[in-house]
Amino acid sequence: MAALGRLLPRMCGLLLRPGGPREAAAAAGRRGVRALRRRPVRVLPPRKELGGAGEKQEKQLSPKKPPPPPPPPAVERSSAGLGLWYEKAAPGDRRLGKVVTIAKSKKFRDHHGKVLLEGHRLIKDALEAGAVPQTLFFSTVGHLKLLPEAKLKQASLVKVKFEDIKSWSDLITPQGLIGIFSKPDHAKMSYPAAQLTSSLPLLLICDNIRDPGNLGTILRSAAGAGCEKVLLTKGCVDPWEPKVLRAGMGAHFRLPIIANLDWESVPGNLPAGIQVCVADNKDPRGADGAGSAPDSLQAPVKSKPKAAPEHEHEEEEEGVCIPELLAQYYYESWTQTPVAVVIGGETHGLSSDALHLAASTGGKRLVIPVVPGVDSLNSAIAAAIVLFEGKRQLLQRHKQEDERQKFPVV
């Protein structure tokens, strides 16, 4: 009875409300639609309850992250026992091989000002002359003991396996020592005292020497003869190419070498009052030996371009007459004044620019006689013959002057 008493007022209120039972049912339906439109919320159970399945589900829901970068290779540093520390590189480290490969290219040398030296003798000469080392690669610590310790402190020392150096080197039997140096500046070098005291008023000008072996040998002969300096005109091979350095046997660090000069700037690198002579194989007696100068001295010849062409078959300017030069044998006297000798390349010979320079200074043709029918000598051999004859004549003249001073004629 009590329950019926409570229900009866509710029913009466429902019947008396405006709209009646239908309106009440419609309102209840709208509330249900709003409830269905609400977005459900996913509730994840604790990770401990899900175990491995929960971790997998969480990984699928979380965004993917890029993998972390690999750690840098471990660097092992050790003492060389000389107050020096070096880095021990991992075997087959490609970074080191790439550095050496880039250093061998002329484009890299010109752009970054770096050169590659290999071997104890060459690196030692470079260090003693004041060249600045950047990185030295060596296979055993014993290689460092042969080099000046104070100079090595300027460089980064890297120990690598001999197999790696062998793969970088183009030598058949590499020594296990390679260095990357800053490109030397001849004005800042400290040349050996013995070289400076033996220097003579004798200069060398290389005209279009393209073969690396020839140029290296010429530089070696110039250092041995006591030349004051060597000038390389445009068209010559790069003197810092590895093949030139090997053939030079340290000559690069014994006398100044000024490269990539155009002919207009050559006189500015010569001392005042110097005479420029050119080496030639034209016999002044002519083919018949009659003693007259050959007609080729006045004949028009092909003019060499100021910069050598990139390919041998490129055409050159023709019809330029060369000046007439007095010709004489190389063993006759030609060193009465400070003198420079021009050596031409084997392919193109002497350029018209070299001949005009010689004529402007009162120079001569220095002829190396050969058997008729034999072609011109190798440029490196011709340079050695003329330079050492010039040295002989200069020393003989100095000796005679000393004797005159000691025993003056009354």
Side-chain angles (χ1 to χ4, degrees):
M1 292 297 293
L4 183 59
R6 289 193 299 270
L7 183 59
L8 185 59
R10 292 182 182 181
M11 293 179 63
C12 292
L14 184 60
L15 293 175
L16 295 175
R17 183 179 298 175
R22 293 182 180 180
E23 183 67 22
R30 286 194 297 269
R31 286 196 298 270
V33 171
R34 286 199 300 270
L36 292 176
R37 288 178 181 176
R38 293 176 181 175
R39 193 170 186 176
V41 178
R42 178 178 298 179
V43 180
L44 297 178
R47 185 178 299 179
K48 293 182 179 180
E49 298 180 4
L50 292 177
E55 294 180 1
K56 184 176 180 180
Q57 185 177 5
E58 185 177 356
K59 289 181 180 180
Q60 292 178 353
L61 295 176
S62 61
K64 293 184 179 180
K65 297 181 180 180
V75 176
E76 180 182 347
R77 297 185 64 85
S78 303
S79 174
L82 302 172
L84 302 172
W85 288 86
Y86 63 86
E87 172 186 344
K88 187 175 181 181
D93 195 328
R94 295 184 178 180
R95 296 175 301 168
L96 307 179
K98 185 177 181 181
V99 169
V100 177
T101 302
I102 295 175
K104 286 185 177 181
S105 68
K106 184 179 184 302
K107 183 177 180 181
F108 181 85
R109 291 193 297 269
D110 295 339
H111 184 69
H112 296 279
K114 297 182 180 181
V115 296
L116 178 68
L117 307 180
E118 182 173 3
H120 299 95
R121 171 72 181 274
L122 194 58
I123 292 179
K124 183 178 180 181
D125 290 345
L127 293 174
E128 292 178 347
V132 180
Q134 295 187 359
T135 308
L136 287 180
F137 305 108
F138 60 95
S139 58
T140 61
V141 178
H143 293 309
L144 301 180
K145 298 180 180 179
L146 303 176
L147 302 175
E149 176 185 347
K151 303 290 185 179
L152 294 179
K153 293 181 179 180
Q154 307 175 26
S156 299
L157 307 178
V158 183
K159 184 180 180 182
V160 297
K161 284 192 173 183
F162 181 77
E163 290 75 11
D164 294 332
I165 292 184
K166 190 174 181 180
S167 63
W168 304 335
S169 174
D170 54 357
L171 297 178
I172 300 177
T173 55
Q175 300 181 20
L177 183 63
I178 295 179
I180 296 179
F181 285 70
S182 300
K183 195 171 184 179
D185 183 0
H186 67 90
K188 300 179 181 179
M189 300 293 286
S190 301
Y191 298 107
Q195 187 74 32
L196 297 176
T197 55
S198 302
S199 179
L200 297 171
L202 178 63
L203 287 79
L204 176 65
I205 302 174
C206 293
D207 180 15
N208 210 24
I209 304 294
R210 298 188 182 186
D211 184 82
N214 282 345
L215 181 57
T217 305
I218 290 173
L219 296 177
R220 186 177 179 183
S221 298
C227 287
E228 184 178 328
K229 68 173 69 172
V230 178
L231 307 181
L232 306 180
T233 61
K234 289 183 178 180
C236 291
V237 66
D238 182 15
W240 300 105
E241 183 175 315
K243 291 183 179 180
V244 181
L245 287 163
R246 288 199 302 271
M249 293 293 293
H252 294 71
F253 306 105
R254 302 189 69 85
L255 79 167
I257 300 173
I258 307 175
N260 202 32
L261 294 174
D262 51 37
W263 283 102
E264 288 76 8
S265 61
V266 169
N269 289 275
L270 298 176
I274 195 170
Q275 185 182 63
V276 178
C277 297
V278 297
D280 200 356
N281 68 327
K282 297 288 196 296
D283 195 332
R285 299 172 304 174
D288 55 357
S292 60
D295 294 336
S296 60
L297 291 180
Q298 294 90 13
V301 296
K302 293 182 178 181
S303 170
K304 301 299 179 297
K306 296 196 170 34
E310 296 182 359
H311 303 287
E312 297 291 339
H313 62 272
E314 290 183 3
E315 295 183 0
E316 301 171 346
E317 299 177 0
E318 297 185 358
V320 178
C321 293
I322 62 175
E324 181 179 354
L325 296 177
L326 179 63
Q328 67 175 59
Y329 289 124
Y330 76 96
Y331 49 79
E332 297 174 340
S333 178
W334 50 273
T335 60
Q336 285 82 2
T337 59
V339 66
V341 178
V342 182
I343 299 294
E346 295 182 34
T347 303
H348 297 283
L350 293 167
S351 67
S352 61
D353 296 302
L355 298 173
H356 280 284
L357 178 62
S360 66
T361 61
K364 305 174 182 178
R365 285 182 183 268
L366 305 178
V367 177
I368 303 175
V370 295
V371 174
V374 177
D375 200 357
S376 61
L377 295 177
N378 177 280
S379 58
I381 295 177
I385 293 174
V386 175
L387 290 177
F388 277 91
E389 174 60 23
K391 177 181 180 179
R392 186 192 68 81
Q393 293 186 18
L394 288 171
L395 293 178
Q396 182 68 22
R397 191 183 72 176
H398 292 167
K399 182 179 179 181
Q400 293 175 355
E401 292 176 354
D402 292 341
E403 291 178 353
R404 292 193 190 100
Q405 294 177 359
K406 292 180 181 180
F407 307 101
V409 177
V410 179

